[in-house]
Amino acid sequence: MRVLVIEDETKVGCFIKRALEEESYAVDLYEDGAKGLEMALATNYDLLVVDLMLPSMSGMDILKTVRRERIQTPVLILSAQSQIDQRVKGLDAGADDYLTKPFAIDELLARVRALIRRGATETPGILQVDDLIFNPATRDVTRGGQRIDLTLKEYALLEYLMRHAGRVLTRPMISEHVWNQDFDTFTNVIDVYVNYLRNKIDRGRAKKLIHTIRGSGYMLKAD
Ligand code: CA
């Protein structure tokens, strides 16, 4: 799940980025409003976290432009205490939620989880494919009742595969949602991580869940 954060207070922005990365999200951080908007329009994010007061373009204008372009990605607005009326305008303009600064990071993370859950329409809280069960809230992954320990990136990759189970996912789709913009698409990193996942999820089991679709990418499915 990939998140765009547009926040001009360097400390706050870096704090959010680090916290989200620790939860396995891929995060792009921009301090400039116009540059952030450019990224929001060019990239298929799963969530936007947008501060209201930004250099070169306000969070409100970013939000309005994004919605005018028919991008339905959930948007979480960050606002200062003094901008209560702006929050109402933000919700009216198509924001999905708002958070007043200063905020507790746990609250931000809880709201991010809720928005991403809502954004992926009709996706239940707990994801299941065959006997593979994934709980995004507790970050527990089990197969056949056996607990599986994953690294942050493996976890992010598995979540993306499970949220789109039964669909062919190309390498560009995977890199766009699981890695951030610093990712070099010419490496075989995706294949390497899929193999890590395979080792943990499919190895030694009769039924394989991760399938290679020759010439296209990967698919997670029960048969
Ligand atoms: Ca600001």
Side-chain angles (χ1 to χ4, degrees):
M1 301 289 111
R2 185 163 166 192
V3 180
L4 173 65
V5 178
I6 313 176
E7 164 63 79
D8 62 318
E9 278 172 73
T10 308
K11 255 173 79 178
V12 177
C14 290
F15 182 55
I16 294 173
K17 184 173 196 280
R18 210 176 323 121
L20 289 173
E21 284 175 344
E22 279 169 15
E23 297 283 310
S24 85
Y25 298 102
V27 182
D28 294 323
L29 170 64
Y30 288 92
E31 298 191 357
D32 180 76
K35 179 67 195 165
L37 173 64
E38 195 182 300
M39 285 302 290
L41 296 178
T43 309
N44 190 5
Y45 287 101
D46 299 290
L47 176 71
L48 311 180
V49 177
V50 183
D51 182 35
L52 279 180
M53 297 281 281
L54 292 163
S56 83
M57 184 179 221
S58 75
M60 195 66 75
D61 286 337
I62 292 171
L63 173 62
K64 285 179 182 161
T65 309
V66 161
R67 290 296 183 247
R68 200 162 53 229
E69 295 294 322
R70 302 191 182 286
I71 294 171
Q72 298 306 324
T73 307
V75 176
L76 172 62
I77 292 278
L78 301 178
S79 71
Q81 191 68 50
S82 58
Q83 297 165 321
I84 300 249
D85 59 322
Q86 289 283 307
R87 290 196 323 216
V88 176
K89 285 187 190 137
L91 291 171
D92 284 344
D96 298 271
D97 201 358
Y98 62 83
L99 202 52
T100 306
K101 292 194 269 190
F103 50 81
I105 199 69
D106 284 343
E107 183 171 8
L108 175 92
L109 293 174
R111 284 171 190 245
V112 164
R113 277 195 297 272
L115 287 172
I116 285 181
R117 204 158 53 222
R118 215 188 296 164
T121 38
E122 291 167 40
T123 306
I126 291 176
L127 305 171
Q128 180 163 11
V129 174
D130 203 72
D131 59 349
L132 177 65
I133 297 172
F134 177 107
N135 185 338
T138 61
R139 303 161 56 96
D140 279 334
V141 176
T142 60
R143 181 146 190 213
Q146 235 175 339
R147 197 186 143 83
I148 298 171
D149 287 317
L150 300 177
T151 64
L152 285 179
K153 262 302 171 238
E154 291 164 357
Y155 179 89
L157 177 60
L158 180 64
E159 180 172 13
Y160 183 64
L161 292 174
M162 288 194 79
R163 285 194 188 279
H164 301 86
R167 280 170 52 187
V168 177
L169 302 172
T170 64
R171 288 175 185 81
M173 287 163 79
I174 294 170
S175 72
E176 191 171 58
H177 287 273
V178 181
W179 276 268
N180 68 13
Q181 50 151 6
D182 303 326
F183 184 70
D184 178 358
T185 47
F186 296 104
T187 67
N188 65 342
V189 166
I190 291 171
D191 305 289
V192 169
Y193 273 90
V194 168
N195 277 329
Y196 289 158
L197 262 188
R198 272 207 170 109
N199 279 336
K200 293 186 177 179
I201 282 161
D202 281 343
R203 195 175 178 178
R205 293 176 193 270
K207 195 187 255 181
K208 309 298 181 200
L209 298 180
I210 299 173
H211 303 266
T212 303
I213 310 299
R214 198 182 290 261
S216 304
Y218 295 99
M219 189 195 288
L220 186 88
K221 65 178 172 102
D223 39 59

